[in-house]
């Protein structure tokens, strides 16, 4: 077991036993330390936030970066404690959740649904909430999602185990045929697929405008809908004091393969709206995938 895996294993085992206020204070202090020290990830976060707030002064941007790092720290603090939290309590603390009823109605009619999300808030908590919502509507309490394969492999397996413990079916982004079969099987059975989709990791995405620049978003969410007849929605989860919120945007039409670029453009517009509304919770410490420079 390497150092990284030891650290994650210890956090998942120990933090669930630490009183919540103490854990929150510790992670918030760590975020403030990261903000003071800076570094490559913090600078990328700053550049990404600057895209959304190009007229912000440097002090304003400093405050925004600090708030975003505290939000990111909250994500990790919750991730390490989430497997031990009561699912009914998680559901009850989702004090705001709008738009999901349309997706639920589609699944009740036997139609699959793809929820595409940006890196905002805590998508793991949102998954737990949605699975409980499915159960309460008499639908299979299941969902499938795709994750990026981390290195080393031991850390990747640890994260897969964590998310499977929450009730998610996990497939690796680079496990092409198996991932494709799992996703299409779920959707053709009228089930739910959730995809974090604001970075293109395959190099086969669609160029879209995004906060005054051109980036590339993955075409996978829209392409899956074109292939299976599933319903596509942009969605976002975000933090609220003592809980979480979620918003699901109206359905995006993807009648056929030819509609995939337009549907991906509509996803980008919805992501712009969601990110701008919850900017402090946008955890984009990576470079956004640049669009082609033709």
């Amino acid at each position: 077991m390497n150092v990284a895996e030891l650290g994650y294993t210890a956090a998942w085992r120990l933090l669930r036993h630490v009183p919540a206020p103490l854990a929150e204070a510790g992670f918030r202090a760590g975020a403030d330390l990261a903000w003071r020290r800076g570094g490559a990830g913090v600078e990328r976060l700053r550049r990404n936030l600057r895209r959304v707030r190009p007229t912000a002064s440097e002090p304003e941007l400093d405050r925004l970066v600090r708030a975003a790092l505290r939000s990111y720290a909250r994500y990790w603090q919750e991730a390490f404690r989430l497997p031990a939290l009561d699912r009914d309590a998680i559901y009850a603390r989702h004090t705001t959740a709008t738009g999901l009823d349309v997706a639920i109605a589609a699944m009740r009619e036997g139609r699959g649904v793809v929820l595409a999300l940006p890196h905002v808030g805590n998508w793991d908590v949102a998954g737990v909430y949605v699975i409980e919502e499915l159960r309460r509507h008499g639908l299979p309490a299941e969902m499938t999602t795709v994750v990026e394969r981390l290195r080393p492999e031991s850390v990747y397996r640890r994260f897969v185990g964590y998310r499977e413990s929450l009730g998610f079916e996990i497939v690796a982004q680079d496990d092409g045929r198996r991932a494709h079969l799992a996703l299409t099987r779920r959707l053709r059975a009228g089930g739910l697929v959730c995809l974090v989709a604001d970075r293109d990791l395959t190099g086969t995405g669609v160029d879209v405008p995004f906060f005054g620049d051109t980036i590339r978003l993955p075409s996978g969410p829209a392409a899956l809908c074109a292939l299976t007849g599933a319903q596509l929605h942009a969605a976002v989860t975000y933090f609220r004091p003592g809980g979480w919120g979620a918003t699901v945007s109206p359905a995006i039409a993807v009648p056929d393969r030819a509609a995939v670029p337009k549907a991906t453009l509509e996803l980008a517009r919805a992501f712009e709206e969601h990110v701008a509304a919850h900017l402090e919770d946008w955890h984009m410490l990576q470079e956004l995938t640049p669009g082609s420079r033709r």
Side-chain angles (χ1 to χ4, degrees), residues 156-175:
Y156 166 73
R157 290 197 302 269
R158 180 68 60 182
F159 270 95
V160 168
Y162 156 62
R163 290 193 166 105
E164 287 178 340
S165 76
L166 303 178
F168 308 167
E169 179 189 21
I170 302 296
V171 291
Q173 175 266 327
D174 62 355
D175 197 359

